[in-house]
Amino acid sequence: MILFKPRHCTLLALAVLAAAASAAYSSTCANNVVTYWGQNSWGGSHLNDPDHWEQDLAKYCQGDTFDIINLSFVTNYNTSGLPVLNHAGHCETKFNGTNTLTCPDIGADIKTCQAKGIKIVLSLGGSGIYSYGLASDADGKTFADTIWNMFLGGSHDYRPYGNAVLDGIDLDIESGDHTGYAGFISQLRTHFASASKQYVISAAPQCVYPDYNLDSTLRNAWIDNNYVQFYNNPCNLANIDNQWNFDYKSWDTLAKKNPNPDSKVYIGLPAGPAAAGNGYLKLSTLKTDITQLYSNYSSTFGGIMLWDASWYSNNREYVQELATWVKTSMNCGASASTPASSAVAPS
Ligand SMILES: *[C@@H]1O[C@H](CO)[C@@H](O)[C@H](O)[C@H]1NC(C)=O
Ligand SMILES: *[C@@H]1O[C@H](CO)[C@@H](O)[C@H](O)[C@H]1NC(C)=O
Ligand SMILES: *[C@@H]1O[C@H](CO)[C@@H](O)[C@H](O)[C@H]1NC(C)=O
Ligand SMILES: *[C@@H]1O[C@H](CO)[C@@H](O)[C@H](O)[C@H]1NC(C)=O
């Protein structure tokens, strides 16, 4: 059978997650709100329309909307050169003699966000216009060392965000070889084991199950959060009542079988009417649908993912109402004493 080839919704990503009273990600709560920053999917121009263009990263950490922000993307990589970043117009300066961006302003914003409990994660991959891939698990391990040294707890001559230490990595693999990521994650976890900081590993598969590019990685490698893109596909959330199209149960089952016993599923949604080809729903419908999924799949439910941060500026009431509702309605929400999802299934 020929798999439906989904439209690419994600170009470069920075994910932002936000929690209840104050933004703070909790791996055991079901009320996390994650977004991607760095690709300005709203469009427009930062020169002609700076008020509506995607704002600086730290702007999205001022409120309590997001718990995790995903920096998008690392667009080109292999083991023979330094990885290449793309942050749309946010950062265009390179280290001398290299193709590697140096973004001290983003580095400062990362620290501002982290001081508020918001996790900033580096997204790898993106739409198929980019060239990336790993040929083997051995390549994956080599690449993991590079990523650890350039962005996480290691050290390197070329650190794009200086001494800011990111909180983890996100795989948005939409092309290239499918191999090597298990080796990559395994080697990252070897580094994490010797660190005091708690790192997050996530992936953003399309909702078509199994994911064409990520399936074997999602089954075999340690994954904390699955940000499933329930848009741009026949399996988008608008088809929740059509069992032939919409299939959340497979994602729940996948998370339960992951080597990480606490692996979570997030409902990935468009944050604005033009952020995706389909899957954008009015708030009342969305709340009914999310409540149903939260109730049926509470043990793996982690929260929602919104593509992308640029719509926070351009669809603010919607994004804010949705995020606030998730943060107060799902467990670990309004009441600090609310048990974590792993403890109690809501009736
Ligand atoms: C490897 O990646 C670098 C960018 O980091 C790129 O310039 C180079 O062409 C790539 N090499 C191969 C063989 O794809
Ligand atoms: C590149 O080199 C020039 C000249 O030495 C220096 O002024 C500039 O700061 C360097 N830029 C970076 C990003 O290192
Ligand atoms: C973070 O960015 C990556 C792309 O590098 C994407 O795959 C992933 O879905 C993003 N995460 C979120 C939560 O948007
Ligand atoms: C949730 O569970 C109810 C009751 O079993 C069922 O009718 C409904 O179809 C389920 N919805 C989803 C989206 O799984």
Side-chain angles (χ1 to χ4, degrees), residues 93-96 102:
T93 323
K94 290 174 177 169
F95 286 111
N96 282 330
T102 170

Side-chain angles (χ1 to χ4, degrees), residues 241-255:
D241 292 327
N242 181 339
Q243 61 171 316
W244 302 112
N245 286 329
F246 185 81
D247 176 17
Y248 194 96
K249 190 170 184 42
S250 292
W251 292 103
D252 172 70
T253 303
L254 179 83

